[in-house]
Amino acid sequence: MISRQEQFDLAIVGAGIVGLAHALAAVRRGLSVVVIDRDAQANGASVRNFGFITVSGQERGQVWRRAMRSRDIWLEVAKPAGIDVIQRGAVVVARRPEARAVAEAFLRTEMGEGCLLLEPDELRGRYPQLAGQDFAGGLWSPHEVRVESHEAIPRLAAWLAERHGVAFRRETAARSIAPPDIETSRGVVHAGKVIVCPGDDLATLYPERIAQYAVTRCKLQMMRLADPGFRLPVSVMSDLGLARYAGYAALPEAAALRRKLQVDQRDALDNGVHLIVVQSADGTLVIGDSHHYATTPDPFASERVDEIILDEFSAVFGGPTPRALERWTGIYASASDRTMFVDAPQENVRLVMITSGIGASTSFAIAEEVIDELFGSTAADARKIA
Ligand SMILES: Cc1cc2nc3c(=O)[nH]c(=O)nc-3n(C[C@H](O)[C@H](O)[C@H](O)COP(=O)(O)OP(=O)(O)OC[C@H]3O[C@@H](n4cnc5c(N)ncnc54)[C@H](O)[C@@H]3O)c2cc1C
């Protein structure tokens, strides 16, 4: 049972990346923090993802700036928290002239600063691992960072506990909130303010507030492939990513690419497939993914969807496809008209939800904004953050 004596400045519900990012921003201001999570260990989207901290391709403006800031914070905390940065930078392989045109248009925007267009020969020269056929070029970005999420998230939590005194209440479900009381499955926790970061749980806390943002859930299929025998210094994407990631897809040039993909790769578009390939320290590759939307997605990973992902892998990398060692699905909260929201359901309570697949890339910056607003160092209010 939880001691009735303890009183914290801030209680956070949810120990995924969003909750941990808020814990970090709070302890940096000297606040005392307790994190409450119903699971014994991290098990949600934050440990099922690529660990791909993506900057290039994020929606132009605020989201892109948040990704830049969050990337910087990942680099600040990685070493002290014992988190390995496994890859730096990304390459988007343009398989078609229409994809190259999107990459060129991106480079003409302010987001293209520091990025480069690689001619096909240059691309193959720098990255001989990309042995597919008929590339039209590649977009190289220096901004990205890749961490191994299923190690990074527990290490971040352990470091917050050991170095910064954050208290963790695991295997503890938060049931209702009325600051300074948070009623949990293991007794009452006391905190002056509360931030709820529930991931894709749309039903337990403040369901009527969440419903206002028309949130549903998105299921993704992922695989780990055996070590292909090469080392990949950068994360890799392809044309399908240029048609999907908002920072590329919103450019006028992306319309022609989408039309071409409708003809060439209809199955991929219908299943929300785009290719991301990252490599782990042991040489294995994490690849994905797909996007299927439902209030309660079915739990089944379709072999056909995996084949579509593997076909794109093979078009980019050529050669024999390494065998799959693991397959899993992940779910995140999703809204069609926003990438996140901050709601104020009660005084001294904030509800923070990332509603697209970019939580690893943007949470640290969002958390700084929410903590500033809630503890009063800026004039912003919760609606301005959303
Ligand atoms: C397959 C996949 C790939 C992805 N790839 C990327 C990527 O490469 N880059 C990127 O930036 N993003 C990526 N994302 C998105 C990113 O992972 C999510 O946006 C992010 O992890 C959401 O974090 P979270 O903390 O909100 O959710 P979660 O990690 O799901 O954590 C929520 C936590 O809240 C707890 N909880 C909920 N309700 C309660 C309650 N009432 N009481 C106690 N505990 C509660 C849950 O137990 C859970 O631990 C991907 C997502 C998936 C699924």
Side-chain angles (χ1 to χ4, degrees), residues 13-20 36-39 41-54 58 172-175 196-201 204-205 218 220-222 245 276 289 328-333 352-363:
V13 178
I17 186 60
V18 180
L20 297 181
I36 301 163
D37 198 293
R38 63 184 169 210
D39 280 325
Q41 65 201 41
N43 189 41
S46 302
V47 290
R48 295 171 187 232
N49 63 27
F50 294 94
F52 182 32
I53 318 307
T54 319
Q58 298 291 0
T172 302
R175 289 176 173 155
V196 180
C197 310
D200 70 317
D201 184 329
T204 306
L205 295 168
C218 178
L220 297 84
Q221 289 188 204
M222 303 278 286
Y245 265 59
I276 297 177
D289 52 17
W328 66 98
T329 59
I331 296 179
Y332 61 69
V352 184
M353 192 171 272
I354 312 283
T355 50
S356 66
I358 61 170
S361 308
T362 56
S363 294

Side-chain angles (χ1 to χ4, degrees), residues 182-260:
I182 299 109
E183 194 212 317
T184 79
S185 53
R186 290 175 186 256
V188 179
V189 174
H190 301 281
K193 301 191 182 199
V194 184
I195 300 178
V196 180
C197 310
D200 70 317
D201 184 329
L202 314 181
T204 306
L205 295 168
Y206 308 114
E208 71 295 342
R209 307 295 294 216
I210 294 170
Q212 288 180 357
Y213 297 91
V215 182
T216 185
R217 287 148 122 194
C218 178
K219 177 183 94 171
L220 297 84
Q221 289 188 204
M222 303 278 286
M223 284 171 271
R224 183 177 291 277
L225 304 185
D227 182 350
F230 57 67
R231 289 296 172 268
L232 197 56
V234 288
S235 304
V236 173
M237 296 171 68
S238 71
D239 297 18
L240 294 166
L242 290 169
R244 189 172 178 94
Y245 265 59
Y248 307 125
L251 297 167
E253 290 75 2
L257 174 61
R258 263 192 303 277
R259 280 196 298 275
K260 183 78 176 129

